Amino acid sequence: MKVLKFGGTSVGSAQRMREVADLVTGSGRKIVVLSAMSGTTNSLVEIANYLYKKNYDGANEVINRLERGYLDTVNELFRKEDFKHKGLELVKSHFDYIKSFTKDVFTVFEEKSVLAQGELITTALFNFYLQENGHDSVLLPALDFMRTNKNNEPDTVYIRENLERIMGEYSDDIQLFITQGYICRNAFGEVDNLQRGGSDYTASLIGAAFDVEEIQIWTDIDGMHNNDPRYVEDTQSIAEISFDEAAELAYFGAKILHPTSVLPAKLANIPVKVLNTMDPDAVGTTISSSQHKDRITAVAAKDGLTAIKIKSGRMLLAFGFMRKVFEIFESYKTPIDMITTSEVGVSVTIDNNRHLEEILDDLRKFSTVEVDYDQVIVCVVGDLVAENKGYANRIFEALKDIPIRMISYGGSEHNISLLINANDKKAALQALSAKLF
Ligand code: ADP
Ligand code: ASP
Ligand code: MG
């Protein structure tokens, strides 16, 4: 069995859905994971923001615009009147549900339910389309098997048991299962999600649960590139990359993969292929356990970081200083991305400022702190073992005109990270491409 995930652009119009149908209806048993049609989740976030503020006119305008888009898609997608009717009714019922929040209390629970509607509508329409064209496909409701635990981590045992149970209800002749990416239930059974871009994570969790032969991530570009194509021209697709390198790139900003989506595949040793829906014959990228020696593989950048410099003349060399620092971040459930140390202080970066003020207050009880906002980690990934001399030199040569605030190497042998100002990001990525590839 294989898992195939198609992102928002890949199912972004009636025509694209037809192309995806052509790609998935060949031989072999498959679970197909779909995101919402492109732009949908952004619009649902916009709607939720209006609903929080009780701005019902604002909400209705976006709701109506989004609904019209889906009704147009239905009219274009289906040929047979009965399927067109089913599609229109389905879209209307989901939008009636969204509209029901334009008069009532709106909390984080309702927000999660609104955000789930995109994947629910898109998968149902796609499944109708397959059936209209004579395919025996089954829609698997992700909310019946995809679940997180109290730590917001996937509950892998629950996922496997329930997916097996639900699929077991169908005959072995069924070849095609369709399900929603991104959405799940949390430990309390409430509708929740795996964070923005989380459909990739859904695919790898399902792949790992079934120990499938391959996970395919179909998107709008021919694989993982060696730099961010949104900022750098002439980036190249990477034919083969290791799980560890792909995970580093995803974590440090390569939007093509959700940051946590590589780990389940790595643990189960299932190859992940990143493929282009617009160019299905392109080789794309294969992510596997194979390591690639003596090369710099790629560059990525993670935005939206805050750097905190913590100084204490008295405390650093004393036992327990680091523990005290880390305990503060832990108590506010705020992960640290990057860390550097010196004799008089330690600098860390965080990407979640929700508890920043409390964290700073606690740190100030035993140190002085300086804060810099709008920082970016630029991360160079490759075979950077100490014996491969000269790579660090090329990286610093490339960045010679850019102020660098923090440098981190040695946490792993395939990553050098540098902290710079957001304003310098584009120039840094371009300079690195010019010097390294
Ligand atoms: P999907 O909707 O299919 O999940 P995404 O928009 O989430 O697609 O991810 C694909 C996009 O990721 C590409 O269009 C590209 O702009 C961006 N991207 C960022 N970094 C990289 C990279 N290193 N390689 C390829 N694409 C990247
Ligand atoms: N539709 C969701 C989002 O836009 C999930 C995904 O695309 O992976 O974030
Ligand atoms: Mg994505």
Side-chain angles (χ1 to χ4, degrees), residues 5-10 35 197 200 218-221 223-230 253-257 299-300:
K5 175 258 169 176
F6 292 86
T9 323
S10 302
S35 302
D200 303 326
W218 288 83
T219 181
D220 58 3
I221 186 165
M224 282 191 104
H225 278 218
N226 60 4
N227 205 331
D228 194 323
R230 294 168 298 178
K255 185 190 175 228
I256 187 158
L257 285 179
V299 178

Side-chain angles (χ1 to χ4, degrees), residues 239-288:
E240 292 184 358
I241 188 169
S242 67
F243 288 122
D244 292 335
E245 289 184 338
E248 299 263 13
L249 288 171
Y251 182 75
F252 286 107
K255 185 190 175 228
I256 187 158
L257 285 179
H258 183 270
T260 48
S261 64
V262 180
L263 187 63
K266 178 189 165 172
L267 294 176
N269 198 17
I270 301 168
V272 179
K273 280 203 172 143
V274 185
L275 297 161
N276 188 354
T277 320
M278 284 32 129
D279 184 7
D281 297 325
V283 281
T285 299
T286 302
I287 308 170
S288 73

Side-chain angles (χ1 to χ4, degrees), residues 201-338:
Y201 201 18
T202 304
S204 65
L205 289 168
I206 293 177
F210 273 121
D211 202 12
V212 297
E213 59 188 279
E214 186 172 288
I215 297 164
Q216 298 179 353
I217 304 291
W218 288 83
T219 181
D220 58 3
I221 186 165
D222 58 340
M224 282 191 104
H225 278 218
N226 60 4
N227 205 331
D228 194 323
R230 294 168 298 178
Y231 299 94
V232 180
E233 281 173 22
D234 297 328
T235 56
Q236 306 294 319
S237 176
I238 307 161
E240 292 184 358
I241 188 169
S242 67
F243 288 122
D244 292 335
E245 289 184 338
E248 299 263 13
L249 288 171
Y251 182 75
F252 286 107
K255 185 190 175 228
I256 187 158
L257 285 179
H258 183 270
T260 48
S261 64
V262 180
L263 187 63
K266 178 189 165 172
L267 294 176
N269 198 17
I270 301 168
V272 179
K273 280 203 172 143
V274 185
L275 297 161
N276 188 354
T277 320
M278 284 32 129
D279 184 7
D281 297 325
V283 281
T285 299
T286 302
I287 308 170
S288 73
S289 56
S290 305
Q291 304 284 340
H292 298 274
K293 294 285 170 212
D294 206 5
R295 72 169 190 195
I296 288 193
T297 310
V299 178
K302 181 173 160 85
D303 301 315
L305 297 161
T306 300
I308 308 167
K309 186 180 275 180
I310 306 150
K311 280 198 204 156
S312 171
R314 287 177 303 121
M315 299 294 291
L316 185 69
L317 291 179
F319 291 113
F321 177 78
M322 289 295 196
R323 180 177 50 75
K324 262 170 111 170
V325 169
F326 289 144
E327 267 175 4
I328 291 172
F329 288 91
E330 188 188 348
S331 67
Y332 293 104
K333 292 199 161 132
T334 301
I336 293 171
D337 287 298
M338 190 173 173

